[in-house]
Each structure stands twice: as C-alpha cells, then as structure tokens.
C-alpha cells in the first residue's frame, strides 16, 4: 500500500518508530516534520489529507500530541475520514464501519507498542460496506435532518 505519514514536533518521535517498525513493505511518503522543533500540525494534516484525497496515497497516518488537532484538520479535506484511535478496537471499527482513510494517533497518549498494534490493525482491516455505505453517504450529503 502507499501510505502518507506526517507529524508535528509532538508526534515526530512516534512517527520515526512507525516508519522503522510498522511500515516496512509499504510505499511510504513522509511529509515531515523531520525534527522536534516546534511547528504547526495543520501543515502536515493537510499535506497527508491531500495525498489521500487525490489518490496519490491509499491511506494516511497523522500524529500530534493528542491526535485531536490532526483529526480535525485532516477531516476538513474532501473525501477524508480521519479517525483518532487509542485502541486496536477503535482502529478496527474505524476501518470496518467508518471506512476511515487517515489514522490519527496521539504521541503523548499512546506508547510505541500500542501505536504499532493500532497501526497494524488499521492497515489490515477492510471496510464492511453494507449499511455503513448509507451512513457515509449521509455524511457526504450533509445529513438527512
Ligand atoms: C502541540 O503542543 C499540540 O498542541 C499538538 O501536538 C496537538 O496535540 C494538537 O492537537
């Protein structure tokens, strides 16, 4: 798979772990950041989201301190369903039910072992389709209410 990955300074360390231990065998596009100097998470969220939205990447991974800012910013890009996951269960459901195409992690929330397990589940799980297609369509259409 082609995976786009990005992080701010608070997610940089975990990004390096995922690059070294979690993404071998995949084609990876690392959009930065490349050190721990303070920077702004929306820069990387939007880079990764645009790569996924355009089809240049199949899935994205974003890491900041909590994962919250990344998930908010990335989900503003058309076609992006960014999911903040703190457990393997959340990662499985994010793919199976929500067809999430960007995984967001908190570098100050989950440890490297947990993050690697979450990433693995996210990459291995497919979208279930069925009733979930209707729900995603409602999101795209702006809701039925
Ligand atoms: C940076 O201090 C922090 O605000 C950022 O990494 C992230 O957690 C924002 O959501």
């Amino acid at each position: 798979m082609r995976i786009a990955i990005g992080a701010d300074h608070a997610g940089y360390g975990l990004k390096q772990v995922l690059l070294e231990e979690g993404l071998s065998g995949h084609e990876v596009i690392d959009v930065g950041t490349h050190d721990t100097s303070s920077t702004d998470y929306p820069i990387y969220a939007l880079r990764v989201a645009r790569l996924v939205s355009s089809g240049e990447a199949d899935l994205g991974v974003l890491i900041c301190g909590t994962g919250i800012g990344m998930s908010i910013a990335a989900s503003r890009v058309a076609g992006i369903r960014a999911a903040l996951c703190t457990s393997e269960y959340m990662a499985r459901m994010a793919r199976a039910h929500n067809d999430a195409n960007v995984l967001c992690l908190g570098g100050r929330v989950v440890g490297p072992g947990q993050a690697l397990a979450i990433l693995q589940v996210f990459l291995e799980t497919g979208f279930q389709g069925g009733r979930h297609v209707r729900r995603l369509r409602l999101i795209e259409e702006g809701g039925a209410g």
Side-chain angles (χ1 to χ4, degrees):
M1 257 189 287
R2 295 162 303 159
I3 312 291
I5 188 167
D8 71 356
H9 53 286
Y12 169 75
L14 183 54
K15 173 168 73 69
Q16 299 314 111
V17 171
L18 299 187
L19 284 171
E20 283 161 27
E21 297 179 43
L23 292 170
S24 56
H26 295 283
E27 188 184 319
V28 177
I29 308 167
D30 181 359
V31 305
T33 188
H34 299 294
D35 57 42
T36 55
S37 312
S38 183
T39 185
D40 301 322
Y41 63 82
I43 296 167
Y44 311 97
L46 296 174
R47 284 180 188 168
V48 165
R50 286 174 184 143
L51 284 167
V52 174
S53 177
S54 68
E56 291 168 82
D58 300 305
L59 293 173
V61 180
L62 285 165
I63 311 150
C64 60
T66 59
I68 295 171
M70 289 296 199
S71 61
I72 292 170
S75 289
R76 293 184 64 91
V77 173
I80 295 304
R81 294 172 296 279
L84 171 57
C85 298
T86 57
S87 68
E88 292 164 71
Y89 176 74
M90 289 176 77
R92 186 172 300 111
M93 290 302 107
R95 290 286 304 126
H97 287 193
N98 309 114
D99 198 17
N101 48 17
V102 174
L103 169 66
C104 298
L105 295 165
R108 295 170 177 163
V109 177
V110 292
Q114 178 71 354
L116 284 163
I118 290 168
L119 174 64
Q120 190 175 338
V121 168
F122 191 82
L123 296 179
E124 287 174 359
T125 307
F127 180 46
Q128 266 178 21
R131 66 190 184 280
H132 304 295
V133 173
R134 179 178 72 247
R135 293 161 186 169
L136 296 183
R137 199 175 297 134
L138 282 168
I139 296 173
E140 290 302 317
E141 291 167 356

